[in-house]
Amino acid sequence: TRVKNGESHYFTNIVKFYEQKVFTTVIRIVKNHATAEDIVQDSFIKVFYSLHKYKNTGSFNAWLYRIVVNNCFDYLRKHNLQMIHIDSEVINSHYPEKILLLHERNEQLDQLLQQLDETEYMVILLKYVNELSYDEISEVLQISLNDVRNKLHRSKRKLRSISMKKGGYFYEM
């Protein structure tokens, strides 16, 4: 409200609050650090200049993520890329076996998530990484609340089924 009322220096509070979560979302979609930084910066610029369009109806969270997700999809379309799934974690550890096990687990998780279509993946990402509510996910992806619930349920069932067949770290999922 303060930013909309002309006190633009308060926008830094919005950036500080959302920056890490937005970056995490973008990097998981485009899987390139430099590109993700550019998309995050571009997203916050769009949010700043579009803030007058936000009508306090619905969640600001969902409105912001809609801009972020649209920027990611625009980038992927522009560069003829498909959505890329979760990047392996980078961990600072003095135990190489832990790094190896973490890398193996992340590869298996990535293989599982690649079995999902784009919308299923985004529902999982927004729910469990960004912790958005069903209503917010519905706004971001512009699908009905029922579709969000159904896609989340089907995605989890699909992941469970695949993991039971293939075994590995997620066999007990």
Side-chain angles (χ1 to χ4, degrees):
T1 303
R2 287 182 165 181
V3 176
K4 285 175 76 171
N5 290 335
E7 299 177 66
S8 58
H9 61 279
Y10 281 105
F11 189 71
T12 58
N13 295 339
I14 294 171
V15 173
K16 285 179 185 176
F17 184 78
Y18 285 101
E19 185 175 32
Q20 190 58 49
K21 285 184 177 184
V22 167
F23 181 79
T24 300
T25 300
V26 174
I27 193 90
R28 289 177 183 261
I29 295 171
V30 299
K31 203 175 181 180
N32 179 295
H33 195 273
T35 301
E37 286 178 342
D38 290 344
I39 291 173
V40 168
Q41 183 177 9
D42 184 49
S43 295
F44 281 117
I45 290 169
K46 283 184 181 179
V47 166
F48 181 78
Y49 286 110
S50 300
L51 209 49
H52 67 281
K53 296 178 184 175
Y54 176 63
K55 302 288 185 221
N56 291 350
T57 57
S59 160
F60 176 78
N61 212 17
W63 182 78
L64 177 123
Y65 279 106
R66 180 76 239 153
I67 291 171
V68 171
V69 168
N70 282 343
N71 277 351
C72 290
F73 289 158
D74 288 347
Y75 170 81
L76 294 174
R77 266 191 303 275
K78 181 179 177 183
H79 293 89
N80 293 323
L81 300 172
Q82 293 180 352
M83 190 166 72
I84 302 170
H85 295 286
I86 292 181
D87 194 9
S88 297
E89 280 181 43
V90 175
I91 184 170
N92 293 326
S93 174
H94 300 290
Y95 303 102
E97 64 276 4
K98 284 187 178 181
I99 294 171
L100 180 64
L101 290 172
L102 180 63
H103 181 69
E104 186 177 318
R105 183 196 62 148
N106 284 345
E107 280 185 11
Q108 288 182 19
L109 178 59
D110 190 40
Q111 289 172 4
L112 276 174
L113 292 172
Q114 286 179 18
Q115 305 298 312
L116 301 176
D117 69 32
E118 193 173 280
T119 307
E120 292 170 335
Y121 177 78
M122 288 304 298
V123 169
I124 294 281
L125 177 68
L126 293 172
K127 178 66 179 161
Y128 294 109
V129 174
N130 297 100
E131 299 175 348
L132 297 185
S133 70
Y134 290 163
D135 289 331
E136 290 171 329
I137 295 169
S138 172
E139 284 182 55
V140 170
L141 298 179
Q142 297 177 337
I143 59 177
S144 74
L145 196 53
N146 257 356
D147 282 347
V148 171
R149 287 188 182 112
N150 290 335
K151 287 192 181 295
L152 187 60
H153 177 73
R154 285 186 195 124
S155 299
K156 290 191 303 188
R157 189 173 60 208
K158 189 182 209 180
L159 291 172
R160 197 174 299 115
S161 172
I162 295 166
S163 67
M164 288 178 71
K165 289 177 189 169
K166 292 190 176 190
Y169 284 95
F170 301 100
Y171 178 75
E172 305 262 337
M173 187 168 83

